[in-house]
Amino acid sequence: MNICMVGTGYVGLVTGAGLADLGMNVICVDKDASKISALAQGVIPIYEPGLEELVARNERKGRLRFTTDLVSGIQNAIAIFIAVGTPPKADGSPDLSFVREVAEAVADHMNDYKVVVTKSTVPTGTGKMIEEIIRTRNGKWPFSIVSNPEFLREGSAVGDFLEPDRIVIGASDAKAIEIMKEIYKPLFLRETPFVITDVASAELIKYASNGFLAVKISFINEIARLCELMGASVEDVATGMGLDPRIGPRFLLPGPGFGGSCFPKDTAAAADLSRQNGYVFELIEATIRVNAATKSRMIEKIRGAVGTLAGTTAAVLGLSFKPETDDIRESPALAVVGDLLAAGVRVRAFDPAAMENARALYPQLTYAKDAYDCAAGADFLVLATEWNEFRALDLERLGSALKCKAMIDLRNVYDPGEMHQAGWKYTSVGRP
Ligand code: NAD
């Protein structure tokens, strides 16, 4: 089956290459010509473990191609997946202009029956909007509308695509459901659960899932704050809570607040969507406030550990919003960097993959070649993103590179007892 994937970013590239791996003929389209020419030369424009191999394997088999030519992409495919960005506008609502652009192109250039599949995260009602655009501009050809939200996580996106927890398909008619089942047949045969529903419910499943996860993170961040105030250990509290199967142990790690391109954007969009429909989603709005407060509390934690900040030098380890990605969108680590700079601190930084992206936003930082180089001559160290390579640092070497053996560990990577034993002034999140 021929598929056109419009948008070749974190989601479109992984999904396009993943669908090719499932046996589809996929043409990936992006309007960013530099991205497409890099991909055509085998250069993957993002850092995502396993992606280079997945793309190369499917290009070799002739099932995966890259182009900027949206018209031929639309005309040669039966299913057109929309995987373009839906970034937040100033009022929190998602900018759907890229989605609209693609819907208009489909309407103007379709040459047969098409299934138009939304992979981008969009508010409930977007499927209807796409349907109206196509119907208004092109009354001639039949088409179906599908919502097929994506749940992959950056950093483990390839595995998440090939072994998903579930596939959600919201469709306007039975023909589209059959085509979607055919596309995902190899996953169906591997007993992946399928949720087949209407378009509006599928669209809402994505916001409900990300909203719930954001609530869980904010909940444990508030428990961590309580632990700090009362001398309890958030790790033990989380273990004790997580053993209840109704709660579960995952996503109970406290830290500097959630970030990335999804949770902040999707919680804001869910709050906006509710208000647009005359309802205030109190829990989500509180979660957004708790997250903002959690992020801004980190500089106070650092000040509490270090004292006067102006004129000092910080070593910051980790800049991406989570490990195993170069994505810095809404990164809590960069929020900390911004607060340090505002407090008059010079910042030395190191990240295994995100320094190029960070440099564009913060050219004034000193970018180091590794963790030890980053620590060299700094007054204290902030561990901001828990990359694996920061989990087993040579602490003696690190300590002797710093002016003072002070670590503020915003990801609870190290053991407080062992750190104090080794002579570190050590502060973490929610642990005595
Ligand atoms: P991205 O910014 O990495 O990629 C979007 C791509 O779309 C860009 O390369 C851009 O050039 C391209 N594009 C925009 N308009 C276009 C057009 N008219 N024609 C062709 N290409 C066009 O975004 P992303 O992180 O891949 O996210 C895409 C969508 O998937 C968003 O709605 C996001 O919320 C959702 N999502 C993201 C993740 C994630 O982890 N990143 C996970 C699940 C869902």
Side-chain angles (χ1 to χ4, degrees), residues 6-11 29-32 35 83-86 98 101-102 120-121 150 152 154 206 261-262 265 329:
V6 190
T8 312
Y10 288 87
V11 165
V29 182
D30 204 289
K31 64 179 183 183
D32 181 342
K35 212 174 242 187
V84 297
T86 48
F98 302 122
E101 238 171 73
V102 181
S120 300
T121 302
E150 184 51 56
L152 61 75
E154 289 175 23
K206 178 65 190 180
S261 68
C262 291
K265 166 173 84 67
R329 289 178 282 185

Side-chain angles (χ1 to χ4, degrees), residues 39-342:
L39 283 162
Q41 288 162 36
V43 177
I44 307 296
I46 54 170
Y47 177 88
E48 184 60 51
L51 185 56
E52 191 171 348
E53 197 192 322
L54 185 76
V55 169
R57 180 165 75 230
N58 286 287
E59 272 193 296
R60 264 197 315 274
K61 296 203 166 146
R63 293 196 294 244
L64 183 63
R65 286 180 302 126
F66 299 98
T67 181
T68 53
D69 184 356
L70 180 57
V71 175
S72 78
I74 290 167
Q75 295 187 339
N76 288 311
I78 180 162
I80 296 137
F81 281 69
I82 304 177
V84 297
T86 48
K89 293 196 284 195
D91 63 359
S93 67
D95 180 353
L96 296 178
S97 56
F98 302 122
V99 173
R100 215 173 276 120
E101 238 171 73
V102 181
E104 288 169 4
V106 173
D108 294 348
H109 302 290
M110 65 198 291
N111 53 347
D112 204 342
Y113 169 76
K114 305 283 171 191
V115 186
V116 184
V117 185
T118 310
K119 261 261 163 250
S120 300
T121 302
V122 293
T124 310
T126 305
K128 263 208 162 64
M129 176 195 89
I130 296 172
E131 191 173 348
E132 267 165 36
I133 291 174
I134 301 179
R135 205 178 297 292
T136 312
R137 292 171 82 106
N138 185 331
K140 185 174 165 199
W141 297 105
F143 64 95
S144 305
I145 296 292
V146 169
S147 163
N148 173 219
E150 184 51 56
F151 300 97
L152 61 75
R153 297 159 301 171
E154 289 175 23
S156 55
V158 172
D160 288 347
F161 179 84
L162 295 172
E163 284 171 52
D165 299 325
R166 76 291 211 192
I167 299 284
V168 173
I169 297 170
S172 58
D173 58 75
K175 184 172 177 184
I177 292 172
E178 284 319 304
I179 290 173
M180 293 304 290
K181 278 186 172 167
E182 190 59 33
I183 291 173
Y184 284 114
K185 196 167 170 186
L187 298 181
F188 185 69
L189 296 176
R190 268 185 248 149
E191 298 187 355
T192 305
F194 275 52
V195 179
I196 305 218
T197 180
D198 57 276
V199 175
S201 304
E203 289 169 337
L204 199 52
I205 285 171
K206 178 65 190 180
Y207 278 144
S209 302
N210 275 1
F212 193 82
L213 292 171
V215 169
K216 203 169 178 189
I217 298 172
S218 286
F219 188 88
I220 201 67
N221 281 336
E222 294 224 275
I223 294 290
R225 184 65 193 134
L226 275 182
C227 287
E228 286 170 1
L229 295 171
M230 300 186 302
S233 159
V234 70
E235 267 171 355
D236 293 348
V237 174
T239 305
M241 285 169 66
L243 285 169
D244 182 333
R246 291 169 303 175
I247 298 174
R250 296 175 71 189
F251 254 62
L252 288 178
L253 295 171
F258 58 75
S261 68
C262 291
F263 290 159
K265 166 173 84 67
D266 296 348
T267 46
D272 176 73
L273 181 66
S274 303
R275 282 188 181 262
Q276 298 287 334
N277 284 278
Y279 180 68
V280 179
F281 197 153
E282 300 279 7
L283 201 50
I284 286 291
E285 298 205 354
T287 296
I288 295 168
R289 287 195 301 274
V290 168
N291 197 52
T294 304
K295 276 172 136 177
S296 54
R297 211 167 35 238
M298 295 303 118
I299 190 73
E300 295 316 320
K301 183 182 279 298
I302 297 169
R303 194 176 275 117
V306 174
T308 307
L309 288 174
T312 61
T313 300
V316 176
L317 293 185
L319 298 170
S320 54
F321 85 94
K322 62 187 274 195
E324 299 297 332
T325 180
D326 60 353
D327 197 343
I328 56 165
R329 289 178 282 185
E330 298 283 331
S331 170
L334 287 188
V336 170
V337 165
D339 289 347
L340 286 168
L341 291 173

Side-chain angles (χ1 to χ4, degrees), residues 13-25:
L13 184 53
V14 173
T15 314
L19 289 174
D21 217 50
L22 299 184
M24 302 293 123
N25 292 314

